[in-house]
Amino acid sequence: QGRWEEALCLLREARVDRLDEPDGRALCSSMVACERARKWKAALQLFQETKDWVQRNDFLCSTAVAACGRASWWPGALALLAELRENGDAGRFSSNAAISSCTRGKEWRRALAIFEDLLEQLGPDTVSINALLKTLSEA
């Protein structure tokens, strides 16, 4: 289960005590700790509450999308991807995480739509293709 609660406390204490501002790596590590402990809601809450003080990047955003997907909450993953796209924060990593979340939900049509968007905007990578193939094979 890991020590996800301690990771959250350390991150929040650093922020409150105005130590070095926690960066995206620290936030991502804390979110992964939550996710591995199956505390995906805590990971998403942390992602949302830190949007004003941590510079978002695609890797960080993909961690939040993946947390939804690993919890088999594909609607949440797709909603978050849409929000990230609207804000310009989404990229290949978050799209790949959303495709993977569709696998768990047997939502191959939605995965295909994300893949097609990826084709038009950024171009898929090997992870994108493999995630889509897995989704299609498990449909």
Side-chain angles (χ1 to χ4, degrees), residues 68-126:
C68 295
R70 288 203 180 93
S72 297
W73 189 45
W74 63 267
L78 298 186
L80 183 55
L81 180 65
E83 177 188 326
L84 296 171
R85 283 180 173 171
E86 188 176 301
N87 296 334
D89 292 328
R92 192 175 289 116
F93 292 136
S94 15
S95 295
N96 291 346
I99 292 170
S100 293
S101 75
C102 290
T103 303
R104 291 174 184 85
K106 308 276 190 226
E107 293 290 327
W108 67 270
R109 285 182 181 92
R110 294 178 194 272
L112 188 57
I114 296 166
F115 186 84
E116 288 171 349
D117 288 344
L118 204 49
L119 274 174
E120 291 176 15
Q121 297 170 6
L122 303 168
D125 61 6
T126 304

Side-chain angles (χ1 to χ4, degrees), residues 26-87:
L27 175 57
C28 192
S29 295
S30 297
M31 289 171 57
V32 168
C34 292
E35 184 183 335
R36 287 185 179 158
R38 303 183 199 281
K39 303 296 181 187
W40 61 274
K41 287 182 182 178
L44 290 178
Q45 179 182 354
L46 184 60
F47 181 73
Q48 291 299 334
E49 70 185 42
T50 59
K51 67 182 173 182
D52 293 333
W53 53 273
V54 173
Q55 179 66 38
R56 297 231 170 140
N57 60 41
D58 189 36
F59 187 73
L60 178 60
C61 294
S62 72
T63 304
V65 173
C68 295
R70 288 203 180 93
S72 297
W73 189 45
W74 63 267
L78 298 186
L80 183 55
L81 180 65
E83 177 188 326
L84 296 171
R85 283 180 173 171
E86 188 176 301
N87 296 334

Side-chain angles (χ1 to χ4, degrees), residues 10-12 14-15 19-27 53-54:
L10 285 172
L11 187 71
R12 288 184 175 128
R15 177 75 175 141
L19 301 173
D20 288 338
E21 283 288 324
D23 60 7
R25 289 181 303 236
L27 175 57
W53 53 273
V54 173

